[in-house]
């Protein structure tokens, strides 16, 4: 065995691999070593500086950017994603007032679902609430009114349609 063969052999032992047995024969598949855990914050930053790459894929306007991060830990990418989502100003329904809810959904469940409806409004057009004692005005609030009623059950509506159809056929 030559010295160069010995070096290659020791490298393969550290990285590992798997033998796949198929109908065509046996094939060796190389598996790269699992990344080691950084010792401390300085080690993490050194690795990040050494291997991190970011490619900008699209920049259609000043408020939009599509990019790709390479050689970065999933937890770091997820933390960055969460920070970006948290920093995007949004408008959401905060207070829901109900009168005479006769549906099968409880008021709290219905309020929660209404709060999940996205509102396509630019939050920069509104004044911010500074404290808890601020009053709602037309410069910092959007008011929606939803009036829905169902006077008859579906069975009653179906029966009325059938009765009307029978009368028309006479």
């Amino acid at each position: 065995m030559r010295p160069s063969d010995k070096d290659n052999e020791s490298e393969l032992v550290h990285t590992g691999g798997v033998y796949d047995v198929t109908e065509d024969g046996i094939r060796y598949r190389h598996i790269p070593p699992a990344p080691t855990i950084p010792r401390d914050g300085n080690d993490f930053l050194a690795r990040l500086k050494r291997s991190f790459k970011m490619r900008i894929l699209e920049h259609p306007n000043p408020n939009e950017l599509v990019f790709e991060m390479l050689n970065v830990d999933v937890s770091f990418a997820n933390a960055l994603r969460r920070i970006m989502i948290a920093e995007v100003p949004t408008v959401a329904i905060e207070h829901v007032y109900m009168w005479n809810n006769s549906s099968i959904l409880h008021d709290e469940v219905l309020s929660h679902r209404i709060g999940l409806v996205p509102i396509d409004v630019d939050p920069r057009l509104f004044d911010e609430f500074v404290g808890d004692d601020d009053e709602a005005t037309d410069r910092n609030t959007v008011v929606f009114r939803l009036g829905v009623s169902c006077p008859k059950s579906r069975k009653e509506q179906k029966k009325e349609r059938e009765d009307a159809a029978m009368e028309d056929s006479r």
Side-chain angles (χ1 to χ4, degrees):
M1 184 181 278
R2 295 179 303 206
S4 62
D5 291 341
K6 194 172 193 177
D7 292 339
N8 289 342
E9 183 180 305
S10 65
E11 188 177 304
L12 288 177
V13 170
H14 291 297
T15 59
V18 174
Y19 288 98
D20 293 324
V21 179
T22 63
E23 292 177 1
D24 299 335
I26 299 174
R27 295 198 191 326
Y28 179 76
R29 185 168 32 106
H30 172 72
I31 298 177
T36 57
I37 298 172
R39 293 185 302 273
D40 56 12
N42 292 332
D43 187 30
F44 175 79
L45 287 174
R47 288 183 189 190
L48 186 66
K49 286 179 185 177
R50 187 173 54 249
S51 63
F52 178 72
K53 289 184 176 76
M54 185 170 110
R55 291 190 332 196
I56 296 174
L57 303 176
E58 294 177 32
H59 192 20
N61 62 53
N63 293 327
E64 207 172 318
L65 179 68
V66 179
F67 62 92
E68 179 179 52
M69 292 188 299
L70 303 169
N71 302 326
V72 69
D73 190 48
V74 174
S75 62
F76 180 79
N78 189 44
L80 188 60
R81 178 189 66 84
R82 292 177 69 123
I83 290 168
M84 287 188 290
I85 289 172
E87 293 300 318
V88 172
T90 57
V91 175
I93 295 175
E94 186 174 0
H95 299 289
V96 176
Y97 303 101
M98 290 189 206
W99 291 270
N100 195 17
N101 177 15
S102 60
S103 71
I104 61 172
L105 292 175
H106 295 287
D107 291 353
E108 296 82 12
V109 173
L110 195 54
S111 296
H112 179 258
R113 288 187 178 185
I114 290 171
L116 295 174
V117 173
I119 301 173
D120 189 18
V121 176
D122 188 356
R124 295 173 292 185
L125 301 176
F126 295 93
D127 293 341
E128 279 192 54
F129 279 96
V130 179
D132 291 337
D133 58 340
D134 272 358
E135 291 290 322
T137 67
D138 59 343
R139 298 200 39 85
N140 62 13
T141 307
V142 178
V143 177
F144 295 99
R145 178 180 294 273
L146 176 65
V148 179
S149 64
C150 181
K152 298 178 183 178
S153 70
R154 290 183 186 212
K155 288 181 183 178
E156 290 174 1
Q157 290 175 351
K158 183 178 177 184
K159 188 172 189 295
E160 283 182 6
R161 283 194 300 266
E162 289 173 353
D163 291 344
M166 286 180 65
E167 287 180 17
D168 290 341
S169 63
R170 291 185 195 173

